[in-house]
Amino acid sequence: MVKKTFVLALLLLAVPLAGFAQEQRQVTGQVVSAAGGAPLGDARVVIAGTSRGTTTDPQGNFTLSVPAGAVRLRVSQVGYVAQDVAVPPGQGQVTVRLAQDVLNLEGIVVTGQATAVARRNLPNAVAVVTADQLTEAPAQTVEKALQGKIAGANIQTNSGAPGGGVQVSLRGVSSINAASEPLWVIDGVVVSNVAIPSGANAVTRASSGSNASAQDAPVNRIADINPEDIETIEVLKGASASAIYGSQASNGVIIVTTKRGRSGAPQVSVTQRVGQYSLSNTLGMRNWTRDEAVGAFGASAANFFDASGRPLQQFNLEEMIAGRRDLSTETALSIRGGDDNGSYFVSGLWLDDAGIIDNTGYEKQSLRLNLDQRLGSRVRVGFNGNVIHSVAERGLTNNDNSGTSFYMVLPFTPNFVDLRRDNNTNAFPDNPFERSNPLQTIALMTNEEEVWRSIASGNAEVGLIDTGRQQLRLLANAGADYFQQENRLFFPPELEFEDDDQQPGTSLLNPSSNLNLTANTALVHTYSPGDNLTATTSAGVQYLDQDLNILQNIGRNLVAGQRNVDAATSIEVFQTRRRTRTLGLYLQEELLLMDERLLLTGSVRADQSSANGDTEKFFLYPKASASYRLPGIGRGVDELKLRLAYGESGNQPLFGQKFTPLSAANNIGGLPGLVLPLGAAVAGDPDITPERMREIEGGVDVVLFGGNANLEVTAYQQSITDLLLQRTVAPSSGFTTQFFNGGELRTRGVEIALGATPLRRDNFSWFTRTTFSANRSRIEELPVPSFRTGGFGTALGAFQIEEGESATQIVANVIRDGKVVVEKVGDANPDFQMAFTNELTFGRFQLYGLVDWHRGHEIINLTKLLFDFGQNTADFALDPQPGVDPLTGQPIRDKAGNQITTTRGSRRLIGFGRETRPYIEDGSFVKVREVSLSYEIPSRALSRVGLGVNDAKISLSGRNLLTFTDYTGLDPEVSNFGNQQIARNIDVAPFPPSRSIWLSMSLGF
């Protein structure tokens, strides 16, 4: 039925509504900047109330056929305030001066797969980040460049490891067990942001078995994209805006549009940056006395002290591990140009960031080519191509159960131990108090991830009908995103810990690949009979094929000096294949009425997917929205816009949840066969369906003080049903649990954004922007008993899913009224987030800053617990007091009956297993995310240099320069398990955080 309806809609679109012939006349003119009068090429000039128009040439000139009577032209250009110009019947020449749109009030924003509207009419709170905002301070990855710039987005760096490990959460929790990342779309292509673990778990044993672990600090693949290539990023935060993307849009959609060519002579831009990363925080370690050391480590510890009891040497082990400050460089080049028939954009990037730990870092090279070409008056075609190569070296951090991770060894290694390489023998000493020497591990191991990636797409636009009042266009887009990722890990036999399993030497070679194929086709019909109506109807088809292949090869007991996996006597092979195909059909109608004051939108998308139990069934995702503008209210209020939107979207089942897993690794009576994997007793659900989000959003936008301020206020409620859960089944079935759909999760929130230009003078201007967001989740219905997901048990802190409670609550053991009980001790979701952006321009100088504030979220600080276990926490020996049992309140006595003396650290440990709250900490923080001071070199100085330099700018910038927090861990932005909906904010020996400072020179030719 859905297919028939869709075909019928396409046929109806192909039948144009009747037009009316009118007498025409020619209007010519020029569009210039109000500040300085510079001509504006590529400005759009249309007859108001219609879609009929033209664009200006490089000199800002245009010619347009208009009706013979009075006419109103609407003139717009990206970065400028749109202007309506009245042209009387006898006038044939106009000059239009556009003022700069500092607050981005006039931007064009995507509203569908093939349509867009002016931001002033937008019915949703869609965040838009421009190219200039992305590159104020250098960032390794796109997600890091977005931190603090989107109201309602919690963008969290999971660790300080180079090159990735960032999780993006839009409007809070939207699932329990399904995917957590938003859908990323680049130039119409759905790209992969999968994070494939390196396989270090084979050595660290952070999780059971030898399979790859989410605790391996994997890199998000969106890290491959060059931020310098991006023109705009539009963030559809919830179902009311993202419904047109169907069953993959519950976590939001991030639409990236890359830069394109412009009419005019070639413009060359070169940017060279040099900088340095440095350790931004340390945990600190205990300073020992001889008696304390002997009590903690045994009699042998006395050998590290002199006769007076003072340590022979003391070392800053954190600085020795993470004190590297090598030079980092980044070179970016772009060329853009074109004419009326076509344009081009070419860019290149060479980035080499040195990590703060030896043998770590991130290198990336990127080459992009974007082409646009007109083929006659009705056909436009384009091509986008991007080739990326990157190498990330990430060392060995995060949780382990083998005593190998750098920050898992430090808690049990006192600062009086010398772990440095012997200059005479070139060998590292064994660690006398742990099973590995982290300095030796850093120097000799390899953890390298190399990626080759290509993203290419082609698009075409064919004008089928254009009568002035109506247009019918055919839009087509197809693209592929393919990458090969190879993780190479090598732990030579001479490493101290490598002979513990009697198989010295471990080598891993893990090749993975992913292919995303996207195809979109749409018909768009626009009908504009007059100033009071523009109707845009679009209908289309989207096909998506995602194919992920992960292979892991592990070799143990290596021949000395050999790295190849086949040079091992023990070899294991693991493979994971995931392929999903999704077909979507959509139909959308937009009505712009009442002299462009009222916008009404309605759409529906129908999706079928191979991830569903019924692969032939279509699931419908409707959307409806409205906005109404009230201009000219007065008393400082220039315009008030009311908006309301409703939409539904989905979150597909994870691959394989409809199947019961089988393995060929075992045998039946010595014969090969497919059987249930050992220890696996989870049954699939053949009737499984996508989760469904229903969101209603309302808001008010206000333009104030002559366009010098803009306030956006948004409130929303999301209801997520058909959650992907597991239930207990009868033991006679042979399984313990089974996947199924059930339950309901609700999220409510508010977002506020205020932008203003309080001062604008000839030589001075001030732009400021403040954002605020807060959301709360609640489990409304849970058809299974409450359960825990993520964490390491209530003795350490865990996440509990419970009806009537927050989805991100943290529960733990606490002592209450002389008993040990399990109760809520915190929440991983912040109470609120705020960001403050300020940009001051004085003459040729510009000062920019971004401060990010997260308030009221808790972190499970297990790194602190580990240091307490090793009695090595900086404050462990402080504040001696008589020992008291926290459960009974009775004195703690030694064997002789004397009350013992406890210190701050020992008191925390006395309660371990019974009182977890000392390790559940407030993670609130204020970070100075970005700071930049730049200077534009005068044209007179450039003319003396020659070489065709038109403009030049020098800048000094920094990222994450300061952090203000009471959190005692390395960084309040931490998530040991990476990208997760629920189990976040767990701190277990992460890669330490860093700050970066850059000196940049940009030249334009």
Side-chain angles (χ1 to χ4, degrees), residues 87 112 184 208 250 321 347 353 422-423 438-439 443 458 567 579 640 650 692 737 761 834 919 938 982 998:
V87 183
W184 288 80
S208 60
S250 281
I321 287 176
S347 73
D353 288 347
D422 188 294
N423 292 328
L439 300 185
R579 186 174 187 184
L640 174 69
R692 179 173 294 270
T737 61
R761 300 290 186 268
M834 292 190 73
Y919 303 105
I982 304 295
W998 296 88

Side-chain angles (χ1 to χ4, degrees), residues 111-364:
T111 57
Q113 294 270 4
T115 58
V117 300
R119 185 178 180 86
R120 62 182 184 145
N121 295 114
L122 196 65
N124 290 93
V126 175
V128 179
V129 181
T130 63
D132 291 340
Q133 293 170 326
L134 276 177
T135 55
E136 290 281 6
Q140 287 179 336
T141 67
V142 174
E143 309 110 296
K144 291 181 180 179
L146 289 174
Q147 286 181 304
K149 297 172 184 175
I150 302 171
N154 187 3
I155 304 176
Q156 181 174 327
T157 306
N158 296 328
S159 77
V166 179
Q167 77 180 28
V168 179
S169 175
L170 302 177
R171 292 186 169 174
V173 176
S174 58
S175 180
I176 297 174
N177 293 316
S180 60
E181 270 287 311
L183 186 72
W184 288 80
V185 182
I186 300 180
D187 293 328
V189 177
V190 176
V191 299
S192 174
N193 192 31
V194 65
I196 302 174
S198 67
N201 184 68
V203 169
T204 64
R205 297 195 290 274
S207 60
S208 60
S210 298
N211 291 307
S213 168
Q215 300 182 71
D216 285 354
V219 178
N220 305 72
R221 285 278 56 91
I222 207 67
D224 300 331
I225 307 305
N226 176 15
E228 297 279 349
D229 286 348
I230 296 174
E231 187 71 48
T232 60
I233 293 179
E234 299 171 23
V235 183
L236 314 182
K237 305 172 193 176
S240 63
S242 65
I244 201 68
Y245 286 89
S247 61
Q248 293 184 299
S250 281
N251 299 316
V253 179
I254 299 178
I255 302 171
V256 178
T257 302
T258 60
K259 295 177 180 177
R260 316 206 67 76
R262 293 177 181 171
S263 298
Q267 298 177 343
V268 181
S269 176
V270 180
T271 299
Q272 178 62 56
R273 298 186 176 103
V274 293
Q276 184 184 78
Y277 288 83
S278 60
L279 180 64
S280 62
N281 191 28
T282 59
L283 292 169
M285 299 177 69
R286 178 180 179 179
N287 290 320
W288 297 82
T289 67
R290 180 177 57 192
D291 292 343
E292 289 172 343
V294 170
F297 301 105
S300 62
N303 299 328
F304 296 90
F305 294 80
D306 61 19
S308 65
R310 292 179 298 184
L312 298 173
Q313 299 180 84
Q314 284 186 311
F315 304 92
N316 187 334
L317 296 180
E318 289 183 271
E319 183 70 24
M320 295 172 72
I321 287 176
R324 185 186 184 199
R325 292 176 174 84
D326 287 2
L327 190 69
S328 296
T329 62
E330 181 178 338
T331 304
L333 168 70
S334 68
I335 305 172
R336 67 197 310 176
D339 55 28
D340 291 341
N341 294 318
S343 62
Y344 57 87
F345 174 81
V346 182
S347 73
L349 173 74
W350 190 293
L351 178 148
D352 186 357
D353 288 347
I356 59 175
I357 297 177
D358 282 345
N359 293 324
T360 68
Y362 183 59
E363 299 178 42
K364 180 165 63 180

Side-chain angles (χ1 to χ4, degrees), residues 2 246 583-587 604-608 618-621:
V2 174
L583 175 66
L585 315 174
Y586 61 88
L587 178 65
V604 63
R605 172 156 173 155
D607 268 12
Q608 65 174 200
F618 278 93
F619 292 85
L620 299 181
Y621 301 97

